[in-house]
Amino acid sequence: MKILLVEDDTFFREFYAKKLKESSLEVETATNGEEGLEKLKTFTPDIILLDIIMPKKDGFDVLTEMGKLQLIQKIPVLVFSTLGQEKDVERARQLGARGYINKSFFDYDKLYSRIVELAKR
């Protein structure tokens, strides 16, 4: 399974990429929303893990752009962010995200289970 991890925080990006690779997943990373959208031109992931608060283009901008490009219907997006207020979760879902995990309450096994679940849909 191929994952695109879009996360601006170096620690989180490297940690999650390492854990996902240890679970035998192919992982590409992007440091911001703009770079994430650029990667989608050459890499087709099975799932995107998307942070919301990022420079250049935030996660909401990425979801909006993916909708315009009709990618949101083809590639499931799991928002993985510290933003956990109901309005943020609802906005992400309205823009096409298929799930939302608050990374402040990080549990790798739960994250991995959600990735597998979304990939089966």
Side-chain angles (χ1 to χ4, degrees):
M1 186 180 335
K2 297 185 290 185
I3 307 286
L4 175 58
L5 172 60
V6 186
E7 167 67 64
D8 64 314
D9 184 281
T10 303
F11 171 79
F12 283 127
R13 187 177 59 254
E14 290 176 358
F15 177 79
Y16 299 135
K18 181 178 184 239
K19 293 291 283 182
L20 292 164
K21 287 176 183 177
E22 287 172 358
S23 297
S24 300
L25 302 177
E26 181 182 338
V27 181
E28 286 283 329
T29 61
T31 61
N32 59 61
E34 190 174 276
E35 185 181 332
L37 289 168
E38 195 61 34
K39 287 232 178 184
L40 288 174
K41 293 177 182 177
T42 58
F43 178 72
T44 304
D46 297 301
I47 297 210
I48 296 172
L49 290 179
L50 180 66
D51 189 14
I52 293 293
I53 303 171
M54 296 182 291
K56 297 191 180 180
K57 285 189 184 280
D58 67 21
F60 296 127
D61 292 335
V62 171
L63 289 167
T64 300
E65 190 65 26
M66 286 182 67
K68 289 177 187 173
L69 298 171
Q70 299 182 342
L71 293 173
I72 200 76
Q73 298 86 351
K74 299 174 188 170
I75 305 169
V77 176
L78 180 60
V79 171
F80 195 51
S81 180
T82 54
L83 283 183
Q85 293 184 341
E86 190 59 39
K87 67 181 176 75
D88 298 316
V89 174
E90 185 55 35
R91 181 175 176 202
R93 288 187 192 279
Q94 287 177 351
L95 290 170
R98 305 238 187 116
Y100 200 106
I101 292 181
N102 188 325
K103 68 182 173 188
S104 298
F105 307 110
F106 176 72
D107 176 342
Y108 179 74
D109 293 332
K110 183 183 279 188
L111 173 64
Y112 183 77
S113 294
R114 290 288 289 139
I115 290 170
V116 171
E117 178 186 319
L118 282 176
K120 290 180 181 178
R121 292 184 183 174

